[in-house]
Amino acid sequence: MVRVPRRPLVAGNWKMNGLRSSTAEFSRIVEGARKLAGVDLMICPPATLLVLFAAAAKGTSVLIGAQDCHAEPSGSFTGDLSAEMLKDAGASAVIVGHSERRSSHHETDADVRAKALAARRAGLCAIVCVGETRAEREEQRALAVVGTQLDGSVPDGAIAENLVVAYEPVWAIGSGVTPTPTDVADIHAFIRQRLGSRLGEEGQGIRILYGGSVKPSNAKELLHVANVDGALVGGASLKADEFLAIASVYGRQSRNIG
Ligand code: 13P
């Protein structure tokens, strides 16, 4: 097996949380990030805070991501934001296909792939989310569901610079319940293999994050699993101490994973 160094990424998805006053908490993350080497840190605030957070992170290693984009670069789409606008606001990445958008906004794999392509067009890295529901897992369909989502959502020609995959089992999001490290290992190995057969050698370099109830208390056991290249953190990313404690699992040196 080819071993490719992949730099871990710990990304925080703030979802619909945060006001301008949250810049103080974000600044604590930026401050703490100075002491962490060998791991990329990213915060994805609501769109209203992108410009503010990008300014606060300027000149530091902390990356800014958005939470969704429209597939078109501009036009009559009231309330939507294009990938180009997000880039202009200071984002370097955008989450697409989060399960909350797949369910509340009925986004299909084709929609997600169009958004990932829009991200690439704008020079953003797309963080494509996949993950099965509780019922699908209980029906032993987790791999099939994730495989279908991956095939439909990941654009052709994706490379490590423009794609990150986040495996987020829907039942683990915000629930405090997580899969076992063995289950995470199985599904991440499956995703790695699928990316490899689709994208060839490039698939080896694409980071696969785990997301769903990641906390400082479980970060070590979940994030040191083979083929887990970081985390997509929801609730715990709102608190600088917790987010930094999760990221610190990766320590100071970059590693070979896989
Ligand atoms: P929690 O970490 O709050 O479970 O959320 C995970 C998530 O949805 C990140 O995108």
Side-chain angles (χ1 to χ4, degrees):
M1 184 176 183
V2 184
R3 290 178 72 85
V4 181
R6 291 185 296 271
R7 192 175 154 88
L9 167 65
V10 177
N13 175 7
W14 278 27
K15 308 189 178 183
M16 198 172 71
N17 296 290
L19 300 171
R20 282 188 296 164
S21 55
S22 312
T23 311
E25 197 67 25
F26 176 68
S27 296
R28 280 192 275 280
I29 291 174
V30 171
E31 200 44 48
R34 292 182 203 281
K35 300 184 201 97
L36 287 175
V39 53
D40 288 336
L41 293 194
M42 179 188 292
I43 291 292
C44 304
T48 48
L49 297 179
L50 283 173
V51 169
L52 211 54
F53 281 23
K58 200 170 160 71
T60 78
S61 60
V62 175
L63 303 164
I64 303 296
Q67 298 177 14
D68 178 49
C69 66
H70 195 281
E72 295 296 327
S74 62
S76 303
F77 302 103
T78 302
D80 282 317
L81 295 169
S82 70
E84 283 78 1
M85 290 168 172
L86 302 172
K87 169 100 175 167
D88 186 53
S92 60
V94 58
I95 298 168
V96 291
H98 191 282
S99 66
E100 287 153 14
R101 293 205 60 88
R102 287 179 185 266
S103 64
S104 325
H105 296 261
H106 312 292
E107 290 186 5
T108 64
D109 290 331
D111 295 330
V112 176
R113 184 175 44 199
K115 289 176 182 216
L117 279 169
R120 188 191 301 176
R121 180 189 68 220
L124 300 177
C125 177
I127 302 176
V128 171
C129 301
V130 295
E132 82 286 356
T133 63
R134 163 68 70 195
E136 288 162 345
R137 173 157 287 263
E138 282 168 359
E139 291 158 12
Q140 320 287 329
R141 293 200 295 124
L143 291 184
V145 167
V146 167
T148 302
Q149 288 177 336
L150 265 185
D151 292 351
S153 307
V154 169
D156 286 338
I159 58 172
E161 285 68 35
N162 59 34
L163 182 79
V164 168
V165 173
Y167 168 60
E168 299 206 307
V170 177
W171 51 274
I173 294 175
S175 64
V177 182
T178 59
T180 65
T182 308
D183 287 339
V184 173
D186 287 350
I187 215 138
H188 278 240
F190 170 79
I191 294 171
R192 173 72 57 216
Q193 183 271 329
R194 198 91 164 197
L195 290 173
S197 56
R198 169 95 181 275
L199 304 168
E201 194 57 29
E202 286 297 340
Q204 298 297 320
I206 290 170
R207 292 181 284 192
I208 308 172
L209 312 183
Y210 168 76
S213 295
V214 177
K215 309 262 182 287
S217 55
N218 61 20
K220 210 174 249 170
E221 67 171 30
L222 291 169
L223 304 189
H224 280 153
V225 169
N227 284 303
V228 173
D229 307 312
L232 184 53
V233 186
S237 70
L238 294 167
K239 292 269 177 335
D241 288 354
E242 291 189 27
F243 184 66
L244 292 166
I246 291 167
S248 71
V249 156
Y250 287 114
R252 306 201 125 258
Q253 72 282 13
S254 55
R255 317 163 306 142
N256 277 346
I257 322 159

